[in-house]
Amino acid sequence: MEKKLIFEIGTEELPSSCLNEGITSLSNILSEKLAENRLGYDHVEVFGTPRRLITVVHGLKDMQDSLEKLVMGPPEKISYDANGKPTQAAIGFAKGLGIAVENLEKIKTDKGIYIGKKLFEEGKKTVEILPSILNECIFLIPFSKQMTWADWQIRFARPIRWILAVYGNEVLNVEIESLKSGKVTYGHRTLCPQPIQIDNSDELLKTLEEEGNVIVDGEKRKRVILSGIKAIEEQFEKENIKVIINEDLLDEIINLVEIPNVLIGNFPEEFLQLPRDILIKAIEYHQRYFAAVNEKGDVVPKFIVVQNGVSDKNREIIKGNERVLKARLSDASFFYSEDKKNSWEKWIEKLRGVIFYSKLGSMYDKELRLEKISEKIISELNNKGFNISDRYYDFSGRASLLCKTDLVTDLVVEFPELQGVVGREYAKERNENPEVCEAIFEHYLPRFYGDILPKTTTGTIVSIADKIDTITGMFLAGAIPSGSEDPFALRRRALGIVLSIFEKGYDINIADMVKYNVGLYEGFLKQDKEKSSEIIQEIVDFIIARFKFTFEKDGKRTDLIDAVTAAGIFSLLDINKRYEAILKIISDGKMDEITLPMIRCKNIVKGRNFTEINPQLLKEDNEKDLFKILLLKYEKIKNLNFQNKYDESINEVIDFRTTVDNFFDKVLIMDKTEEIKNNRINLVKKAMDLYMLIADFSKIYAQ
């Protein structure tokens, strides 16, 4: 028989980010625990509101699946003596299973006869198992920010106030600290503060909405909000008002309300003097309002607020929000006016006093590095045939010099979330080139996972330069991410580099850029040459790891990336092209033609020292053939690689197998004469180097 399980964790108001973490984690954890405990079910749903996490398990069987398993023991020959009596090995094994030694069974295997026992574990009732599973789920939810309260030992995102656990019509006994589960839930904090009794698992969601004024399903709350916004747009149809739907803001608001009520308010027209994007951001942040525009795209003096309730009959709520927004916009307007009195030069000078990071200089020093790194990127791209105009040297230099100046403006000091936006708008007002204006904003992109990427050439270049510089500086200073700790969001920055490179198709050698960047820090940190090399490799590996992360997300093979980078290839674009070429050979079933001869070469040269090949010492026909073909293929593959023709390069090494095999089969490498032996080892090393022109194929695992 199958029943529905309802499990609700009632809390104080959860932050939006914690609610998202809880929904995802609880779904995964509970699914895993049910599977581990052999509890069959149809599917799991998890919902969340600011005051609760609710799990619904549909079609949960009322009995645990029985388990039959074979437990293997020691071999028969050591389990019984010559007279057939059980030895201590058999007696100890039987004792461990809790059975008499005479109940052990003899089991035939490919390796001989062993003793063992087929055990049958009968399934228990689901209601007996569920309480411990649900209790464990509460403790396992990995919130990024947790707290303790009262004298409780448990840690959770916010204090837990009630637990509801009902399977069918049976209440489950889940207990944490002094709190016991029951069949009571609570609705909206102010609209329905009294307890609501739930007698059956089918009742909860419907009862919460109808009696408790709580819409549990976040998607339904979203539809209600969008419907309310559409109704307001229709109400002002003659004015052609359109609400700007910021998706990130919408997602956050959905997690902040249990029953949405969409209202419209007004603010004084005097604030329309603020630049459009600054005004929109000032409306959206802090109070989480939506801005509105007319048919021309100009901001109108209205805003949309989503109230956590059902009505505002006397407009008291909207009046309060109008007062708050007016105060915020008054601040923004004042600081904007103050900023207009200042020049770039004054702000640039201020940056000299703003520390980037301890021992890494000021933000002004960082701007100077950005200019140099940007120049380096453009030069490398032009060397690869990208033909980026010389004017972009000027654009990137100017954008590098100005991109951090808004950090010391009064407006950004008061509204930190406006960094980039303020810089762009001030650049427009000061008649900077449009490319430079956009780059000032875009160099921060992407600001979070899933954010937009830079679109302009200058914005992309300065963005990559900024992220490389920050990652490099932090690694040099020892502020390296560990585990889940990443206070400077270096992983996000590394992913931003990867995504921006692929968005533009830029062929940039990450290792060269990092090495150059490390050199720019010489005036700030004492650098040991050997230690610097280690840090450079660590930084490159760190960025490549984010590249591999994108591959793993798409279900692609990361061993191929390891194979290519092991050959010293650190252009993400180049790695990807080689990846595709190798993948094609794998799908064609030709990989052994490369890996087997290469591994033979690698085994010979491992741990040895090498010199140049002496052609005069080549005596056998097959070693002469190998040397001759090596020279021809070496130049041919290098030329093909330069043209990114990796399919053809790989075919060249496939054809190389016969030559390598003939050499190994017909030439004695370990010749009695030392110089001939060493010369043949040098020849094998040259053969391995040929493969390494493409990748270290020995790192590719079989599939």
Side-chain angles (χ1 to χ4, degrees):
M1 187 175 175
E2 298 173 349
K3 300 175 186 175
K4 183 187 292 184
L5 167 68
I6 291 286
F7 177 51
E8 179 184 33
I9 307 170
T11 68
E12 295 293 339
E13 275 73 4
L14 292 163
S16 176
S17 59
C18 291
L19 190 57
N20 288 332
E21 291 173 343
I23 290 171
T24 301
S25 299
L26 187 53
S27 176
N28 294 336
I29 293 168
L30 184 56
S31 298
E32 289 173 7
K33 291 298 174 184
L34 292 175
E36 285 176 13
N37 287 274
R38 310 192 307 278
L39 291 173
Y41 61 94
D42 185 7
H43 65 283
V44 174
E45 288 183 299
V46 180
F47 305 101
T49 78
R51 296 183 69 205
R52 70 202 76 228
L53 287 168
I54 296 179
T55 304
V56 183
V57 183
H58 297 269
L60 181 59
K61 293 180 180 179
D62 61 359
M63 289 292 294
Q64 180 187 40
D65 292 338
S66 298
L67 176 66
E68 186 176 52
K69 60 182 178 180
L70 177 63
V71 182
M72 298 293 290
E76 180 190 29
K77 61 184 178 182
I78 67 170
S79 300
Y80 299 95
D81 61 19
N83 298 319
K85 291 184 178 181
T87 64
Q88 276 303 120
I91 294 170
F93 177 64
K95 187 177 180 180
L97 294 179
I99 61 174
V101 69
E102 55 267 23
N103 290 331
L104 292 174
E105 303 170 14
K106 294 181 181 180
I107 300 164
K108 289 184 179 180
T109 72
D110 294 339
K111 297 179 180 180
I113 298 176
Y114 285 70
I115 63 169
K117 181 65 179 177
K118 289 181 180 177
L119 299 178
F120 179 79
E121 185 180 324
E122 188 172 348
K124 298 178 182 178
K125 290 183 178 180
T126 298
V127 291
E128 296 175 10
I129 304 171
L130 279 177
S132 62
I133 292 176
L134 299 179
N135 184 285
E136 196 173 356
C137 285
I138 295 174
F139 286 88
L140 288 176
I141 299 176
F143 294 108
S144 56
K145 295 180 180 179
Q146 301 188 38
M147 62 178 291
T148 58
W149 60 97
D151 58 349
W152 288 21
Q153 298 302 308
I154 185 175
R155 297 176 66 86
F156 208 72
R158 287 294 183 271
I160 299 173
R161 295 308 186 203
W162 74 89
I163 299 173
L164 181 144
V166 180
Y167 175 56
N169 57 4
E170 190 168 352
V171 178
L172 302 174
N173 182 27
V174 180
E175 186 173 345
I176 57 165
E177 303 283 349
S178 59
L179 183 64
K180 294 182 179 180
S181 63
K183 55 181 179 179
V184 170
T185 186
Y186 293 85
H188 190 281
R189 184 181 289 278
T190 57
L191 298 175
C192 183
Q194 68 275 14
I196 301 173
Q197 184 166 309
I198 304 296
D199 295 314
N200 189 290
S201 59
D202 290 323
E203 299 175 5
L204 180 64
L205 304 188
K206 183 179 178 183
T207 302
L208 272 175
E209 186 165 343
E210 292 179 353
E211 297 181 24
N213 287 302
V214 174
I215 299 175
V216 173
D217 188 350
E219 285 300 314
K220 186 172 182 180
R221 296 200 297 276
K222 181 177 182 177
R223 291 194 295 271
V224 171
I225 293 171
L226 293 177
S227 177
I229 289 174
K230 185 177 180 182
I232 287 174
E233 289 177 337
E234 291 173 352
Q235 179 184 346
F236 292 90
E237 186 176 4
K238 291 182 180 179
E239 299 175 40
N240 287 311
I241 286 180
K242 293 294 178 186
V243 178
I244 299 175
I245 305 295
N246 180 323
E247 291 295 334
D248 297 317
L249 177 60
L250 176 60
D251 290 341
E252 184 179 6
I253 290 173
I254 290 167
N255 287 345
L256 296 176
V257 295
E258 292 199 311
I259 183 164
N261 181 32
V262 183
L263 306 171
I264 186 167
N266 302 287
F267 62 84
E269 292 189 11
E270 64 188 77
F271 298 123
L272 296 178
Q273 64 165 325
L274 288 167
R276 179 184 184 276
D277 287 350
I278 291 177
L279 179 56
I280 290 172
K281 292 300 178 185
I283 292 171
E284 290 178 343
Y285 282 97
H286 287 292
Q287 300 309 124
R288 303 177 179 91
Y289 303 139
F290 293 105
V293 296
N294 58 26
E295 58 185 349
K296 296 179 181 178
D298 297 327
V299 180
V300 297
K302 298 184 183 298
F303 67 98
I304 309 299
V305 59
V306 180
Q307 174 217 0
N308 185 23
V310 292
S311 66
D312 184 23
K313 293 179 181 178
N314 300 318
R315 297 192 80 251
E316 290 301 321
I317 294 172
I318 200 64
K319 286 177 183 176
N321 281 279
E322 286 176 342
R323 286 193 297 272
V324 170
L325 182 59
K326 180 181 178 181
R328 296 303 292 169
L329 294 183
S330 293
D331 290 343
S333 182
F334 170 77
F335 292 121
Y336 172 67
S337 298
E338 290 298 300
D339 284 339
K340 292 183 77 171
K341 301 173 184 177
N342 293 304
S343 63
W344 289 130
E345 288 71 23
K346 183 174 181 179
W347 288 327
I348 291 169
E349 186 61 30
K350 269 190 172 184
L351 286 176
R352 293 178 183 270
V354 178
I355 299 300
F356 166 48
Y357 191 73
S358 177
K359 299 180 182 179
L360 298 182
S362 67
M363 293 303 293
Y364 175 74
D365 296 317
K366 182 176 178 65
E367 287 187 332
L368 297 182
R369 288 194 300 273
L370 295 190
E371 182 177 5
K372 293 175 181 177
I373 300 167
S374 297
E375 288 178 358
K376 175 79 171 172
I377 291 173
I378 295 172
S379 296
E380 179 164 334
L381 290 175
N382 283 335
N383 290 337
K384 299 283 182 65
F386 278 78
N387 297 319
I388 296 177
S389 169
D390 285 349
R391 62 192 179 128
Y392 284 99
Y393 285 105
D394 296 329
F395 291 156
S396 64
R398 186 64 175 166
S400 297
L401 184 64
L402 301 180
C403 66
K404 302 297 182 183
T405 51
D406 67 354
L407 296 178
V408 292
T409 62
D410 290 339
L411 191 53
V412 170
V413 169
E414 179 66 20
F415 296 87
E417 63 277 356
L418 294 182
Q419 67 179 30
V421 175
V422 167
R424 177 180 61 189
E425 296 308 312
Y426 287 0
K428 287 179 180 178
E429 291 180 351
R430 287 159 173 76
N431 298 316
E432 295 290 337
N433 186 282
E435 181 86 5
V436 173
C437 296
E438 285 305 310
I440 291 172
F441 167 71
E442 290 182 337
H443 93 283
Y444 285 111
L445 303 178
R447 296 155 296 184
F448 47 83
Y449 185 76
D451 192 18
I452 59 174
L453 296 172
K455 293 181 180 178
T456 67
T457 299
T458 306
T460 304
I461 290 169
V462 179
S463 173
I464 293 171
D466 181 48
K467 291 168 178 58
I468 288 176
D469 182 69
T470 298
I471 294 170
T472 300
M474 292 306 168
F475 268 71
L476 287 170
I480 303 172
S482 60
S484 61
E485 297 296 319
D486 187 10
F488 300 102
L490 300 188
R491 293 189 184 97
R492 173 175 59 77
R493 294 176 197 275
L495 183 60
I497 293 170
V498 172
L499 296 176
S500 294
I501 283 174
F502 277 96
E503 178 73 12
K504 290 291 187 181
Y506 284 167
D507 190 357
I508 299 172
N509 188 310
I510 297 295
D512 287 349
M513 288 300 147
V514 172
K515 184 177 180 180
Y516 178 75
N517 199 172
V518 168
L520 297 178
Y521 278 100
E522 284 184 358
F524 302 97
L525 293 167
K526 291 181 180 179
Q527 297 183 34
D528 176 80
K529 192 172 183 181
E530 186 176 338
K531 183 66 175 176
S532 292
S533 297
E534 291 176 7
I535 291 176
I536 289 168
Q537 191 58 55
E538 286 177 8
I539 297 168
V540 172
D541 290 343
F542 180 76
I543 297 172
I544 296 293
R546 293 296 91 191
F547 177 41
K548 290 168 68 174
F549 167 77
T550 65
F551 267 52
E552 286 176 324
K553 274 194 64 191
D554 294 336
K556 294 181 178 180
R557 296 180 57 165
T558 57
D559 61 319
L560 273 60
I561 298 176
D562 293 333
V564 175
T565 55
I569 307 302
F570 299 111
S571 162
L572 304 185
L573 210 67
D574 200 3
I575 293 171
N576 191 57
K577 290 174 182 176
R578 292 172 189 241
Y579 173 95
E580 295 296 336
I582 296 171
L583 199 63
K584 186 175 183 298
I585 295 300
I586 292 174
S587 64
D588 290 344
K590 298 179 181 179
M591 205 60 219
D592 284 351
E593 301 296 308
I594 303 172
T595 55
L596 295 181
M598 182 185 183
I599 290 171
R600 293 182 79 176
C601 294
K602 197 170 186 179
N603 289 338
I604 292 293
V605 303
K606 187 176 181 180
R608 297 183 182 273
N609 298 318
F610 310 101
T611 57
E612 292 296 319
I613 299 167
N614 184 351
Q616 302 301 319
L617 294 175
L618 302 175
K619 305 298 182 183
E620 304 285 343
D621 288 341
N622 285 291
E623 64 179 330
K624 291 177 181 178
D625 288 343
L626 178 59
F627 182 63
K628 178 182 176 182
I629 293 171
L630 260 176
L631 295 179
L632 293 173
K633 283 190 175 292
Y634 213 90
E635 291 306 314
K636 191 170 185 179
I637 290 174
K638 284 177 71 175
N639 288 330
L640 289 171
N641 287 354
F642 184 76
Q643 301 172 64
N644 295 325
K645 295 180 178 179
Y646 298 115
D647 290 336
E648 295 181 39
S649 290
I650 291 178
N651 283 327
E652 288 295 325
V653 295
I654 289 174
D655 294 339
F656 190 47
R657 179 177 186 177
T658 302
T659 306
V660 175
D661 285 348
N662 285 339
F663 171 78
F664 277 113
D665 295 342
K666 298 177 182 179
V667 176
L668 179 63
I669 297 173
M670 300 303 170
D671 193 86
K672 293 179 182 179
T673 305
E674 189 72 12
E675 61 180 3
I676 291 177
K677 179 189 76 172
N678 290 336
N679 199 54
R680 286 173 180 171
I681 291 173
N682 291 332
L683 186 60
V684 175
K685 174 64 166 59
K686 186 71 172 178
M688 194 185 78
D689 289 345
L690 183 75
Y691 290 101
M692 293 289 283
L693 288 174
I694 303 169
D696 185 349
F697 294 96
S698 65
K699 290 186 175 293
I700 299 173
Y701 57 78
Q703 272 197 347

